[in-house]
Amino acid sequence: MPGAGRAAGVRRLRPQPSEEPPAQEEDQDLLLAAAYVSDAQYNRNVPFETSPRAIRLYYFYNHWTMQVAIYFFICVDLSLALFEEPALFPLPFLATSIAEVLCLTAFFGRLVHFAKVTPQMVFWKDMKNICIMVTIVLTLIDLIIYGSLEAVNIHSVRWSRALRPVFLINFPESRQIRRTFRSIRNTLPDILYVFLLFMFSVLIFSLMALKLFGDRGLQTVEGLPYFTNILEIAFELYVLVTTANSPDVMMPAYNFNWWYSLYFITYIIINTYIFMSVFLAVVYNNYRKHLKNEIRKLAYLKRHKMIEAFNILKVKVGTEFVVTEARWKRLARIVMPHISSPHLELLLRISDEGQKGHVDKMNFLRLADLLNIQVVTINIKRHPLEEWMPRVYQSSASLLVQRMVRHRIFVWVYDVIILINAIFIALDEKNPFISYAEWLFLSLYIIEILLKLYTYEPRAYFGKKQFWNWFDTLIIMAALVATVANTTIQSARKYNSQQILDIVLILRILRLLRIIVSIQRFRLIVTTLINIGPTILTFGGLVLVVYYVFAIIGMEAFHGKVRSFDPNFTTPDALVCGNPALKDSAFARDRYCKNNFNDLASSFVVLMELTVVNQWHVLAGGFALVTHQAAKLYFISFHVVVVILIVNIFIAFILEAFFVAYSLEKSEVETAIEKKIQELGVGIQEEEMQDGKLVDNMDAKDSGFSGDDGDNKRKALKGLYFRIASKSCLASHA
């Protein structure tokens, strides 16, 4: 295989340890080793050529600008459905087709770039690449056919639009979404057996309903025959599993005879509570099992990549192979160009335990994990006022104010103020007393912020990781600006701006979220949600793919069948949503006319309503009336895929994430870092942090009453510190 280098087993002659390798060859070795370490750090499993040219192309391929560019074109490609018929913002076919061709060109270029860095046999055996190429070809064919028919005024279907999510799924950057799809694929066999048993139960109960109620002449509220068609019965009972038509579906039988309610109660217990719980149990069990397999596989691949990197850089010292300190530093700099010198020195101290001037194999293999642990560098500086006015800032009155602000009672007082403010927000704002009280609360909040800025070093208080401080300040400042603007408009023009009033009201309510800061359990839950945010976005990508495909299919099948009108319109056409087939239907009576598939945005709203499942049978019945009863299969398919499968996998993920968060233990590498910090004698214990000794960068809630001794120690702690993100151990670096 040409150019396969090490991947094909070709070895380059390595100089003896006593010889200095040529500078150019050493640079190439470092670049190759850094590529392996970077892949291990980000869990990439991309086989690549090891020639110098291929390595440079691989670095360029993984550069953030290239990834942003490909995601930009993917977003443009997906958003074209907003401008194509049926369109929310109509554009000529020529404009959308040119944009799509540009996107396809970008996708093809990205694929060619990938082919340049990957061995040919690996590239052509990878189904992701085949899927992308086939989708590009099919899209071009569809564009040509559709454009040709449009030129002669013949309308056709743009079927290739449903294939657009293929690009989002199959490019290497979307590995997280592919892993989620793999979880679904691996779960399907077990889910299938449960689903077949569930459908068998529904059919058995459908036959029972047909025999029990079919010949009794019962009618629905609309005057239609009740449970006389086996397919209609099966659909109604399937809807009953979701409780969307309960108790309406049972009322004709229940009104006829009280004992018939036992049939529906039995059905709900078996199919709604037992089978749906079994679905969740099967999905959760399979999700955990395959998650463990994925983690084992990633751990194996990470170790393999790190061994490859070690074998490239190793030299023999005595009886063992090691990586020299100079090479280790250069490697870390290449992998993380923006790493600070103190941070790098700290990691080296951990890796070179005996300070021998080299890193052994065991410690080298931990480099990717070390780089993955977020170490926050905290530069604790003196307060500007302490530098400008030392006598004033260190006076007795000033120190008393600072101690008051750091004390927990200060936080409790403002918690009480927030609760009182909540009561006033719920009262009538037209009362002048309530209006004046709002200014009082705003003043108290502004005083709180000013006192904190006086006590804590401002740059530390508004640090990158101080989310709640930023949130608190922005909410208060925005509320102040909006309140002043609204008052100015009222006094100057005797005019109330409803939009500004709405903003003021929302900002006032958002202020109540500050109570979260003070309750530890609330903070834990919110922090967990923030930590799992990136993975939630992965599931968001999965839902987007499914929604997009169903939306495109829905637009092609149902667009124009239902039209929306102004709510005040009472014309006969408006009362039936523009389609006589909906006359006297629940869809028309409930004025569901805006629930249509006439554009992408409306389609997404309908699909969201179907996900919630309330009244979804009314939507399905309405679109079945304007097309064919077989249209209900579309809505049942969506329910099975999204509600039964994807939502249950999402629940399994949330459960697992919270179990991990509530039973979190330090990893082996994090423990090693903290142990080394303590061995070096530069550690700060958690209880010391809570005593207010690092008050320059600690939030008020974490600080207790420190006294004069705390103030003296605070002066001695100026300098550079590290802490592991979300952990309490800090370390100073001399």
Side-chain angles (χ1 to χ4, degrees), residues 14 16-21 26 29-30 33 309-318 320-333 344 347-348 351-352 355-361 363-364 367:
R14 186 170 295 282
Q16 297 299 319
S18 58
E19 300 176 5
E20 278 295 323
E26 183 179 12
D29 285 347
L30 280 168
F310 180 79
N311 290 335
I312 294 169
L313 300 179
K314 68 182 181 182
V315 293
K316 194 169 185 180
V317 175
E320 64 175 344
F321 286 99
V322 297
V323 175
T324 63
E325 178 182 314
R327 278 190 148 194
W328 187 94
K329 281 187 174 181
R330 289 187 63 191
L331 175 68
R333 285 282 186 194
L344 182 63
L347 298 184
L348 180 60
S351 299
D352 183 10
Q355 298 186 34
K356 302 173 183 177
H358 57 255
V359 178
D360 60 24
K361 183 176 181 179
N363 283 302
F364 182 88
L367 176 58

Side-chain angles (χ1 to χ4, degrees), residues 4-7 29-42 44 46-50 55 58-59 301-302 304-310 312 331 335 368:
R6 296 181 203 278
D29 285 347
L30 280 168
L31 285 174
L32 179 56
Y36 284 130
V37 174
S38 182
D39 282 359
Q41 182 185 5
Y42 296 108
R44 288 193 294 257
V46 180
F48 58 89
E49 300 273 9
T50 56
I55 294 171
Y58 187 58
Y59 272 97
L301 292 172
K302 177 183 287 188
H304 176 72
K305 295 277 187 182
M306 293 305 299
I307 290 174
E308 288 282 346
F310 180 79
I312 294 169
L331 175 68
V335 177

